[in-house]
Amino acid sequence: VSLQRLKAAVHYTVGCLCEDVAEDKAMQFSKQSIAAISEVTFRQCETFAKDLEMFARHAKRSTVTTEDVKLLARRSSSLLKYITQKSEELAASNMEQKEKKKKKSGAAKGRRISEEQEAAVTESEDSNMA
Amino acid sequence: ERRSSSLQHKSLFSCVTGQKQPQHHEKWSLSPEEFEIWDRVYRIKEGDGVKEPVLPRSQFETLENLEEVPKQQEEARQELSLSEWSIWQNHPLPTSTVDHSDRCYHFIGIMELIELLRHEQGDCSYDLEMQPHLQTEDVHVRRKKSHLATSSSL
């Protein structure tokens, strides 16, 4: 995947989010300000990625966990509270999905079905994130 | 600025580390001699015509704010601004012993970009540059809601 393609995807999504804010606050964003926010977001991803990798390594892990993500929010107690709350919500809904999956795959055997369920779970996880 | 008082700093430092008052070394607080120097040379007093410098507090527009902003007399305080000299921020400023970080270079890069975009009218060059690279599978495509420029190409 090219950098430009990633940037374009970030730019599109930032545009959508700014549109929501614009509607909510009844104010307009210039295209240039959306471009600047996109570039900030894109570059901030690099900072986040490097920090997350270091936090995980500091805890002798090679997998980044939600605890590492919370460290990104450590400077503001408001932000930390929000992230922690979201993390708990996600953990709870993941547990719920796993329970459901267990029950279903217990009843219906066969690879295809469980694969479809996997896809369904991932999809609902995605919508939770959004 | 800190460097301007570095000479005085040095004399204070030698006061602290020098052999003169070893009995005060273990204490966290200033010795009477150090307090006298601080009071005379560094402390901001009412008659100085200088406002007490304070750093801006972080506030989130989109979140509930937990940190309480202490109510203090505004006139006696000078909030240090991080945006007043923004037109100076599109190139790296000199360093002494601490290099610029990646994060700092990102900031400089963005200030450069903003400087380029500042003079544009209507069409945005960044927008035009990105459009051909967008792949719809990378994003949550939404139905068009408003006439905002970024969604017009999709």
Side-chain angles (χ1 to χ4, degrees), chain A residues 17-83:
Chain A
L17 293 172
C18 287
E19 218 174 295
D20 288 346
V21 175
E23 201 173 315
D24 191 46
K25 303 276 177 196
M27 56 174 288
Q28 290 293 310
F29 287 86
S30 68
K31 286 181 183 179
Q32 286 76 14
S33 59
I34 292 172
I37 297 169
S38 302
E39 189 64 20
V40 169
T41 308
F42 188 79
R43 287 167 180 261
Q44 188 63 41
C45 285
E46 188 188 306
T47 307
F48 282 162
K50 283 183 176 166
D51 282 349
L52 288 169
E53 199 183 335
M54 295 305 268
F55 294 157
R57 203 185 295 171
H58 189 67
K60 298 182 171 55
R61 281 185 273 101
S62 55
T63 308
V64 169
T65 68
T66 50
E67 291 309 301
D68 304 321
V69 177
K70 284 180 203 164
L71 277 180
L72 292 181
R74 69 195 177 280
R75 289 197 179 89
S76 153
S77 46
S78 306
L79 185 61
L80 186 60
K81 185 189 168 195
Y82 180 80
I83 295 287

Side-chain angles (χ1 to χ4, degrees), chain B:
Chain B
E1 224 213 323
R2 183 158 279 186
R3 200 172 301 179
S4 63
S5 61
S6 69
L7 257 180
Q8 288 169 328
H9 252 287
K10 244 176 219 161
S11 61
L12 180 65
F13 190 68
S14 57
C15 269
V16 175
T17 54
Q19 306 299 307
K20 266 186 171 175
Q21 302 106 355
Q23 67 269 28
H24 296 298
H25 272 204
E26 274 95 74
K27 283 191 191 163
W28 64 267
S29 59
L30 298 180
S31 67
E33 294 80 9
E34 288 161 355
F35 185 88
E36 191 277 321
I37 292 169
W38 172 70
D39 190 56
R40 183 163 47 84
V41 182
Y42 303 109
R43 186 181 197 173
I44 294 172
K45 290 166 195 155
E46 247 172 73
D48 289 346
V50 187
K51 291 175 178 179
E52 190 196 340
V54 287
L55 284 166
R57 302 215 134 217
S58 81
Q59 289 263 299
F60 270 93
E61 196 65 44
T62 55
L63 296 178
E64 162 202 14
N65 281 299
L66 295 173
E67 288 98 348
E68 259 181 58
V69 183
K71 288 266 188 289
Q72 298 235 357
Q73 66 278 39
E74 289 296 311
E75 276 135 55
R77 329 186 92 211
Q78 170 75 55
E79 195 175 86
L80 301 175
S81 173
L82 290 168
S83 56
E84 198 181 334
W85 295 96
S86 57
I87 53 166
W88 272 41
Q89 305 289 321
N90 58 358
H91 57 273
L93 292 168
T95 59
S96 170
T97 51
V98 180
D99 284 342
H100 294 305
S101 61
D102 289 343
R103 198 161 185 257
C104 180
Y105 280 119
H106 281 318
F107 175 74
I108 295 162
I110 286 152
M111 295 310 278
E112 263 177 293
L113 174 71
I114 290 172
E115 195 51 43
L116 288 174
L117 296 176
R118 188 193 301 279
H119 309 288
E120 286 185 358
Q121 309 222 315
D123 272 349
C124 169
S125 56
Y126 191 90
D127 201 13
L128 298 174
E129 195 188 322
M130 290 305 141
Q131 273 175 25
H133 299 283
L134 183 64
Q135 313 251 328
T136 44
E137 74 234 53
D138 296 339
V139 296
H140 289 281
V141 181
R142 310 195 304 186
R143 63 206 155 74
K144 237 198 282 183
K145 269 201 294 192
S146 78
H147 321 290
L148 217 130
T150 37
S151 57
S152 62
S153 60
L154 296 155

